[in-house]
Amino acid sequence: ALWAKRDSLHFIEFLDALTAAYGTDIYTPYKLLPSQFRHALLYGSKDIPIKFHIERNERRIFYARPFEGIIPKLDRRYKETDSMGARDEIRQYMSYRSCSECQGARLNAAARSVRIQGHNLSDLAALSIGEALVYFSELTLSGRQKVISERILKEVVERLGFLNHVGLSRLQTDRSSLCSG
């Protein structure tokens, strides 16, 4: 209980410093906060140092540094921790949504425009290892396309063949992962 009280006191001091830096106060409802402050709260203050203070042995110590942001901090803690309990705690605040720009393809515009016999990279990534092995093994290209892709296709087929050989034929390469690596 003492830890929770001390932690909430630090949080209030932190919020007070952050809101003061952006010209608002901690009692302003979130929807009424300036958009610049809301963005800084969630994603950080970038290069703008925020003046914070901490209380130690009845002394107040002042310092200034950019604020990391709630989302980057949770992301960093999730990736750095070895504690499954900490990950479970952070996972409560996570949701998975498809990007509105790429519709979940996880590819930039240039990569989304690449086509191999009418299939884009996202379509091919949705194949299982076994299906992709068959597709790329049977893929026939001609002329310039064949010359350009020959070495790459050989490597792709070899890697898919290895994954298939070790029993991962049903694995899809576009699947989501909860690993922190």
Side-chain angles (χ1 to χ4, degrees), residues 107-176:
L107 299 169
N108 65 26
R112 288 193 313 270
S113 68
V114 172
R115 301 243 180 240
I116 301 172
Q117 291 189 342
H119 300 285
N120 65 32
L121 296 178
S122 184
D123 294 338
L124 296 173
L127 298 173
S128 69
I129 298 293
E131 292 167 334
L133 178 59
V134 169
Y135 177 83
F136 286 107
S137 295
E138 295 175 355
L139 182 64
T140 53
L141 300 172
S142 59
R144 186 171 176 224
Q145 290 179 333
K146 183 177 183 177
V147 172
I148 292 170
S149 65
E150 194 167 23
R151 290 172 64 194
I152 296 168
L153 282 175
K154 181 179 184 283
E155 182 75 21
V156 167
V157 169
E158 285 177 6
R159 290 181 185 214
L160 288 169
F162 171 77
L163 293 170
N164 189 58
H165 179 73
V166 297
L168 299 176
S169 64
R170 295 176 57 197
L171 184 73
Q172 287 183 268
T173 57
D174 71 343
R175 70 188 186 107
S176 294

Side-chain angles (χ1 to χ4, degrees), residues 41-58:
L41 180 65
L42 295 176
Y43 300 101
S45 65
K46 305 297 179 220
D47 296 330
I48 301 168
I50 307 298
K51 295 177 187 172
F52 296 103
H53 70 272
I54 55 173
E55 305 274 339
R56 290 266 165 89
N57 301 326
E58 299 193 27

